[in-house]
Every structure is written in C-alpha cells, then in structure tokens.
Amino acid sequence: MYSILKENLALGYSISQITEDKKQYLDLLLLADEQESMIDRYLERGEMFALYDNGVKAICVVTDEGDGVCELKNIAVEPAFQKQGYGKKLVNYLIAHYSGRYRQMIVGTGDVPGAVGFYRSCGFEYSHRIANFFTDNYDHIIIEDGVQLKDMVYLKHVLSM
C-alpha cells in the first residue's frame, strides 16, 4: 500500500483511510446513496477512503461480506469534479488495496448505462441482479440519468490473491 500511496502523491493526489467521524462526509455519500438509513446499514462496519487533491474530491466505503468477498457499497465524487477520473483512480486504488485480502470485489448499482459502463471500464463484469431492490428498500422513488431505478445490478471484479 505504501508504494501506491507514494505513487499517488507523485501524481498530485493522495488516498487515505478515514477511521473516525465518517458521518462528516454524509453529504457526499448521499450523492451515491440517497437515503441516510441505507448508508447507516454499512457506514460503521465498512472501511472508508477519501481521495484528496487540494481537498476531498471522492469518498468510498467498502465492506467485508464474508467468504473472501468485499463490496464497494458507496463511491461518490464531488459534483464539480465528476468525469475527471477521480472515481476511477479511487476504484483502481481499492482493487490494489484489497488484492491479497479478498478474492473478489462486488458492487451493486442501478441498471443505467452510465453507472454500469463506469464499473465495466474499471474491469468489473456482470454478476447478478436483485429484482425490485430499489423499490422494496427505499422510501422514495430514485431517478438516475432519467431512469427510475428498480433492480440492483451486481458486478464483480476478481482480485489477485
């Protein structure tokens, strides 16, 4: 991990784990998961990381799901800095960080081309879907990229052991 962090610093950004006061990033986390009660289900049991480049640009939470699987539960980039590569840099860091500790990383997302395409560009491939996840678990309708979310699509990335 040290070599990755050192390389990141040479590129002008750094990534650090956040272990205390995770709720201070709630506004950013809500960009990726609109309901605080859903975030509360994983925030404290998960590991949080922040990408810094003259301030926090992106945040994420990863949980241990057992059986050698970790899950990227939330990743959000400050709106003014989206589509500039910060999300991909953070995902690439996570893949390197969790390789050797887990055999697979999974991520669940809405079934919209932008989100699925982003994860595919990071090396994830389709795993499965949970029908009606968003309609059954959220207290309001969620619209992403003009599409009402219904099913959660899971993608997976095999990690080096």
Side-chain angles (χ1 to χ4, degrees):
M1 184 170 82
Y2 174 74
S3 63
I4 293 170
L5 185 57
K6 185 176 178 183
E7 176 184 321
N8 293 344
L9 288 171
L11 296 173
Y13 68 93
S14 64
I15 297 171
S16 299
Q17 186 168 356
I18 307 296
T19 58
E20 297 177 351
D21 195 21
K22 295 176 184 179
K23 281 272 193 157
Q24 71 178 308
Y25 300 100
L26 183 61
D27 287 347
L28 195 48
L29 293 168
L30 285 166
L31 294 174
D33 193 342
E34 295 183 10
Q35 189 168 306
E36 186 174 354
S37 64
M38 294 297 282
I39 293 170
D40 288 341
R41 292 183 181 185
Y42 57 79
L43 185 59
E44 289 309 314
R45 71 181 178 94
E47 293 183 328
M48 176 181 270
F49 295 88
L51 185 149
Y52 300 90
D53 186 355
N54 293 316
V56 174
K57 297 297 187 276
I59 201 93
C60 68
V61 179
V62 177
T63 59
D64 180 339
E65 297 302 312
D67 197 29
V69 176
C70 62
E71 182 171 350
L72 176 54
K73 288 284 196 180
N74 189 313
I75 182 167
V77 177
E78 284 285 356
F81 299 97
Q82 292 175 0
K83 309 261 190 247
Q84 295 181 31
Y86 289 113
K88 192 165 194 168
K89 288 172 182 162
L90 190 51
V91 170
N92 288 339
Y93 171 85
L94 295 173
I95 290 167
H97 178 78
Y98 287 106
S99 288
R101 292 178 49 193
Y102 293 92
R103 63 177 177 76
Q104 186 177 81
M105 179 179 286
I106 60 172
V107 62
T109 189
D111 192 6
V112 293
V116 173
F118 168 74
Y119 291 112
R120 286 190 185 276
S121 77
C122 293
F124 285 79
E125 60 185 38
Y126 177 82
S127 173
H128 63 283
R129 84 175 41 234
I130 299 178
N132 302 313
F133 179 85
F134 292 100
T135 52
D136 290 348
N137 290 285
Y138 285 80
D139 63 11
H140 63 285
I141 292 172
I142 298 177
I143 306 292
E144 185 174 335
D145 293 342
V147 176
Q148 180 180 341
L149 300 187
K150 181 179 171 190
D151 298 348
M152 180 176 283
V153 175
Y154 270 91
L155 297 104
K156 63 185 176 185
H157 192 295
V158 175
L159 302 175
S160 306
M161 286 304 287

